[in-house]
Amino acid sequence: PAVEFGLEAPFSIDYHDSVGSTNDRARELAAEGGADVAVLADEQTGGKGRLEREWSAPAGGVWVSVVTRPSITPAQAPLYTLAAAVATATTAREAGVDARIKWPNDVVVPVGDDGAYRKLAGILTEMEGQPDRVDWLIAGIGVNANLDAEELPEGATSIRDEAGDVDRRRFVQRLLEEYDRYRTDLDTVVPTWRELALTLGQHVRVDRPAGEVVGDAIDVTESGALVVETDDERVTVSAGDCEHLRPV
Ligand code: BT5
């Protein structure tokens, strides 16, 4: 394998040179009762984004999905998306990248001062459970690490392009340590998220199934929803309802 795994991670590692989607492999492990395991692949041949979108995941990136069984209700699950985003941005910043968070699930690098950005990483959270209890939760994290942005979709950037290659083993170790830290100390997620947010203070347009919302992104709630102040009201948008968010 291109990455070696004697990782001292807070999760056990299920490594694959190539896999369809680490999230799908993680679902299999979760269905078998797995917990506290991170599925890691050098390459994904069918990487998944949100809402059935595709995620490009050639060899050289960091593609990882962490299975946990948190004692939470489904309503708290979006906090884990924010936790993964904070962990990813923090780890990328350690690697010398000016990583910021675009609500709800993107880690981006700003280009200039007008709100433009390139996407460095994305998070796909999946879960299963009952209305009052989560059975398992998967935080899928994809980071364009040692890749040329040219081989990625338009609008993407990579750690290589921003700051040079990283030791992926070390990067994954730090990423998993940070995710473990935030998921066990959930109260620190939103305050840290606010510090790293690119979205807060921006005038944004959010597309939702219920229609678009245009206004100022002023805050995130304790459960990770975005508060948008329009001309005449405050609208709280949950991550699950957000199809697209863009600065306008
Ligand atoms: C996401 O979706 O940003 C979530 C991506 C999660 C990927 C990880 S990798 C490990 C785990 N296993 C999986 O199968 N998935 C997770 P979304 O917000 O829907 O963004 C998807 C859009 O980003 C696409 O429609 C493209 O426009 C763009 N895109 C695709 N691949 C990209 C890449 N490598 N870098 C930047 N942008 C990309």
Side-chain angles (χ1 to χ4, degrees), residues 103 204-208 211-214 226 228 237 242 244-245:
W103 186 87
V204 297
R205 190 178 104 198
V206 190
D207 297 328
R208 309 174 297 172
E212 66 172 36
V213 182
V214 180
L226 187 71
V228 180
V237 186
C242 171
H244 281 288
L245 175 147

Side-chain angles (χ1 to χ4, degrees), residues 25-204:
R25 172 65 185 147
R27 288 183 84 102
E28 289 173 12
L29 294 176
E32 293 165 9
D36 295 342
V37 52
V39 179
L40 191 54
D42 187 32
E43 165 195 71
Q44 296 179 110
T45 53
K48 302 190 297 183
R50 301 169 64 225
L51 309 168
E52 318 268 297
R53 293 191 281 245
E54 284 176 17
W55 183 258
S56 168
V62 167
W63 323 120
V64 59
S65 300
V66 187
V67 184
T68 55
R69 296 182 178 275
S71 304
I72 58 165
T73 64
Q76 292 169 289
L79 261 187
Y80 283 72
T81 302
L82 268 54
V86 168
T88 305
T90 303
T91 307
R93 295 184 76 83
E94 284 177 8
V97 179
D98 182 21
R100 306 279 297 275
I101 303 171
K102 174 177 172 281
W103 186 87
N105 68 319
D106 291 347
V107 176
V108 301
V109 179
V111 181
D113 298 323
D114 61 354
Y117 57 83
R118 289 182 195 280
K119 184 159 169 172
L120 180 76
I123 317 289
L124 176 64
T125 309
E126 299 185 84
M127 64 165 176
E128 196 162 277
Q130 283 74 49
D132 60 336
R133 171 177 78 81
V134 164
D135 183 15
W136 51 254
L137 182 142
I138 295 167
I141 304 173
V143 188
N144 301 325
N146 300 344
L147 295 166
D148 294 323
E150 281 170 14
E151 48 181 320
L152 296 167
E154 208 181 316
T157 190
S158 65
I159 293 182
R160 170 178 289 172
D161 278 32
E162 299 290 335
D165 281 5
V166 286
D167 174 342
R168 282 188 293 161
R169 199 178 85 108
R170 197 180 140 61
F171 188 92
V172 170
Q173 176 155 342
R174 286 292 303 126
L175 177 61
L176 294 177
E177 283 169 357
E178 288 293 308
Y179 179 65
D180 188 44
R181 181 156 79 92
Y182 285 106
R183 64 120 185 184
T184 49
D185 199 359
L186 282 180
D187 287 348
T188 62
V189 171
V190 170
T192 312
W193 190 93
R194 287 192 184 106
E195 284 170 25
L196 294 170
L198 183 69
T199 307
L200 292 186
Q202 285 184 337
H203 194 67
V204 297

